[in-house]
Amino acid sequence: MDFIEFEKWVLKDFGIDLSAYKSNQLHRRIKSLMSRVGANNLDEYVILLKKDQEQRQKFLDFITINVTEFFRNPEIFNEFKLKLKEEITRSKRPLKIWSAACSIGAEPYSIAMILDDISKGVKHNIIATDIDNTILEKAKKGEYSASDIKNMPKDYANKYFSISEGKYILDSKIKNMVSFKKHDLIMDRYSNGFDVIICRNVVIYFNQDIKDNIYKKFSSALNPGGILFVGATESIYNYKDFGFEKASTFIYKKL
Ligand SMILES: C[S@@+](CC[C@H](N)C(=O)[O-])C[C@H]1O[C@@H](n2cnc3c(N)ncnc32)[C@H](O)[C@@H]1O
C-alpha cells in the first residue's frame, strides 16, 4: 500500500481527509508514528489500526495535534480582548462567536471569561467545534491541569476555577456559556451570521488550497464588520482576496 491508498483508507475508515494536510510533514509524522509501534510498512500499520482501539485513538491524536492552553499567546489575546470590546459596542446586541478547532475548550472558555468580565448580563452565543469527539468530551467536562492555565490572568483563575485533587475545575456559569459540537473544517458545511470567528493553530497543517478555501468560507460565515482571529504563525498575506481588511496583526475584519 502506498500513501495515496493509505489516505483513501483513512478517509473511508476515519472520515478524515489526509490529502488536505501538508504532505511532507504528514508523511514524516506517520512514518515516525509507525516506527514507534513497530509497523514496518503501511499494510502492517492498517492491520494494527483495524484491530486496536488504543492505536486508533493514538493515530487520531497524532494527526489532529490538540495542544492548547488558556489565553494562548497572552499579549495577542489582550489585543483580541480590545477588539471584542469594539465588537460589543458596534453590534449593540449579543454576539455570535465561533471557536473553530477548539481542542479541549481552553480557547472558547477563555473568550467566555473575557465576555463575562467585560459584558456582564448579556447572553452571548459561543459555539465551539472540533473534529475530534474525544477531546470535545473533555472540553465539556471543564477540568484542567495547572499547565493548561499557566497564562491565565490570576484574577480570572481565582474567580472562575476551584481546585479539587490537583485539578482546576471551571465554574459552571462559564461552562454553560459555550456549546460544543463536532465539525470538520475541511468536509463539513459552515453556518453563518457570525460576528467573531477564532481559528488558531490548525490551518498551519493544511495545504494552501485548503487554507484558502477555509478563509473563503470563514469570510462568507462572518457578518460584514465581523472579525477573524488567527494563530500567531498564521498571518493571511492574501487577506484582500477573501474580502478582509487588517484590523491588527492576527485579526482581520470582513469588509
Ligand atoms: C493545535 S490544536 C489548536 C487548539 C486551539 N485552537 C489553540 O490554538 O490553542 C488543533 C486542533 O485542531 C483540530 N483539528 C484538526 N483537524 C481539524 C479539522 N479538519 N477540522 C476541525 N478541527 C480540526 C484538532 O483536533 C485540534 O484540537
Side-chain angles (χ1 to χ4, degrees):
M1 177 182 284
D2 59 17
F3 263 110
I4 296 183
E5 287 168 301
F6 181 71
E7 284 178 3
K8 281 189 192 148
W9 178 75
V10 170
L11 183 61
K12 203 160 90 222
D13 203 86
F14 286 81
I16 293 181
D17 182 5
L18 291 183
S19 69
Y21 291 73
K22 287 180 187 161
S23 59
N24 288 346
Q25 202 184 45
L26 181 77
H27 293 178
R28 214 174 37 243
R29 291 170 56 71
I30 291 175
K31 277 183 186 151
S32 120
L33 189 55
M34 281 166 50
S35 80
R36 269 195 239 168
V37 295
N40 294 312
N41 52 47
L42 287 165
D43 294 271
E44 283 184 24
Y45 192 42
V46 166
I47 291 171
L48 185 69
L49 290 178
K50 276 183 181 163
K51 62 173 190 216
D52 188 330
Q53 195 51 41
E54 195 186 330
Q55 288 307 328
R56 288 178 74 84
Q57 188 56 46
K58 279 206 174 125
F59 173 70
L60 247 185
D61 292 348
F62 199 72
I63 294 303
T64 54
I65 313 167
N66 48 32
V67 176
T68 188
E69 61 193 36
F70 283 82
F71 295 86
R72 189 169 188 171
N73 313 111
E75 53 315 321
I76 303 175
F77 231 93
N78 275 340
E79 222 168 289
F80 172 64
K81 182 174 172 179
L82 296 177
K83 292 287 168 209
L84 208 49
K85 276 185 183 165
E86 283 174 25
E87 274 304 293
I88 290 168
T89 316
R90 186 183 69 84
S91 76
K92 299 188 179 70
R93 57 167 173 75
L95 299 179
K96 187 175 171 192
I97 298 172
W98 178 18
S99 168
C102 67
S103 186
I104 55 173
E107 185 175 85
Y109 288 142
S110 298
I111 297 162
M113 285 185 264
I114 292 175
L115 287 173
D116 183 69
D117 187 23
I118 65 178
S119 153
K120 283 193 179 57
V122 182
K123 209 172 170 300
H124 299 284
N125 180 8
I126 308 172
I127 297 151
T129 63
D130 200 280
I131 194 174
D132 183 345
N133 268 327
T134 312
I135 51 171
L136 286 173
E137 286 311 311
K138 185 164 168 24
K140 285 179 203 165
K141 260 185 153 179
E143 294 180 6
Y144 295 97
S145 68
S147 87
D148 293 328
I149 66 159
K150 66 179 187 300
N151 285 327
M152 174 126 52
K154 281 278 162 300
D155 51 335
Y156 280 17
N158 294 335
K159 190 168 163 193
Y160 296 118
F161 287 84
S162 54
I163 303 177
S164 169
E165 294 169 3
K167 282 188 199 142
Y168 287 73
I169 317 289
L170 183 62
D171 190 313
S172 57
K173 175 172 133 189
I174 298 299
K175 278 206 313 194
N176 293 338
M177 289 172 70
V178 181
S179 44
F180 290 94
K181 67 172 192 188
K182 185 172 186 230
H183 180 270
D184 180 341
L185 283 164
I186 297 162
M187 315 264 272
D188 293 337
R189 287 173 66 87
Y190 289 26
S191 307
N192 54 24
F194 291 102
D195 302 295
V196 178
I197 297 176
I198 302 99
C199 182
R200 305 177 74 211
N201 306 301
V202 63
V203 299
I204 191 164
Y205 303 111
F206 300 150
N207 66 44
Q208 195 59 45
D209 286 350
I210 293 288
K211 256 191 233 181
D212 285 354
N213 202 25
I214 287 176
Y215 293 139
K216 205 154 73 185
K217 290 196 270 186
F218 279 156
S219 178
S220 303
L222 280 168
N223 293 326
I227 57 172
L228 170 67
F229 180 25
V230 301
T233 53
E234 296 171 332
S235 290
I236 310 172
Y237 297 104
N238 51 343
Y239 58 88
K240 287 184 186 153
D241 294 350
F242 311 109
F244 288 118
E245 67 177 10
K246 210 164 181 169
S248 134
T249 323
F250 301 107
I251 301 174
Y252 301 86
K253 187 182 269 285
K254 180 174 172 179
L255 291 166

